[in-house]
Amino acid sequence: MLVRRIARPLLASSFVYGGIDTLRNPQSRVPGAAPVVDQIAAKADEQLPVQVPRDVEQYVKINAGAQVAAGSLLALGRLPRLSALVLSASLVPTTLAGHRFWEHDDPKERFGQTAHFLKNLSMLGGLLIAAVDTEGKPSVGYRARRAASRAADSTEKSVQRAQKRAARAQRKAEKKYQKGSR
């Protein structure tokens, strides 16, 4: 559909541009990302048996790379649902790290950060819609349920046919036995 061919690149453009910019200059994003990385790493250390690395710049680069790769795939219409899901997952820490409006006292700065925060929430909504868009085709879940139902029906019919053949064979064997015992 034409709308998808236009909407996907428009939605992806911000991620590709921002990801490339971050890969070129990750140091500018490190201070904002540090509290988020520290919080996530602390939670992970509690849950995992190994200690999680705390190299903030590396996490910033990984996130940027994921945004460039997934954004490019989404723009090209390749693996659009998976790409949108990856972008959704990368947008959450990006938003929490980059637009912490609750930490600003200056009304103008707070308003600007709030606007960017809400813009990212809007993009998250668009990505979630793109992640569940089946392009008019039945979903994987529907196709799986339908295939399972057809397999069950086919198996049931096969069992019924086998039971009928077995009953016929048993009757035939009983007739032969009766003829032979006379």
Side-chain angles (χ1 to χ4, degrees), residues 4 132-139:
R4 285 183 187 91
V132 298
D133 179 26
T134 61
E135 300 182 33
K137 299 174 189 165
S139 68

Side-chain angles (χ1 to χ4, degrees), residues 14-141:
S14 179
F15 294 99
V16 174
Y17 178 79
I20 290 171
D21 183 54
T22 301
L23 286 172
R24 287 183 178 163
N25 186 16
Q27 299 81 15
S28 66
R29 305 294 200 288
V30 170
V36 175
V37 169
D38 289 340
Q39 209 172 16
I40 291 172
K43 293 276 187 199
D45 286 342
E46 292 173 7
Q47 302 293 323
L48 300 174
V50 295
Q51 191 167 7
V52 177
R54 291 197 173 357
D55 184 5
V56 177
E57 186 174 328
Q58 194 65 31
Y59 285 113
V60 168
K61 288 179 182 178
I62 290 168
N63 189 50
Q67 287 184 346
V68 170
S72 298
L73 288 172
L74 182 64
L76 295 171
R78 304 283 185 219
L79 302 171
R81 295 175 73 191
L82 178 62
S83 301
L85 197 60
V86 169
L87 289 172
S88 297
S90 77
L91 185 60
V92 173
T94 300
T95 302
L96 292 175
H99 305 297
R100 303 169 70 83
F101 65 89
W102 55 90
E103 294 179 349
H104 296 279
D105 294 327
D106 178 32
K108 285 186 178 182
E109 184 67 25
R110 186 180 190 108
F111 177 79
Q113 290 301 322
T114 303
H116 285 297
F117 187 88
L118 293 173
K119 173 205 45 117
N120 282 11
L121 287 181
S122 299
M123 288 175 29
L124 180 61
L127 288 169
L128 292 175
I129 289 172
V132 298
D133 179 26
T134 61
E135 300 182 33
K137 299 174 189 165
S139 68
V140 174

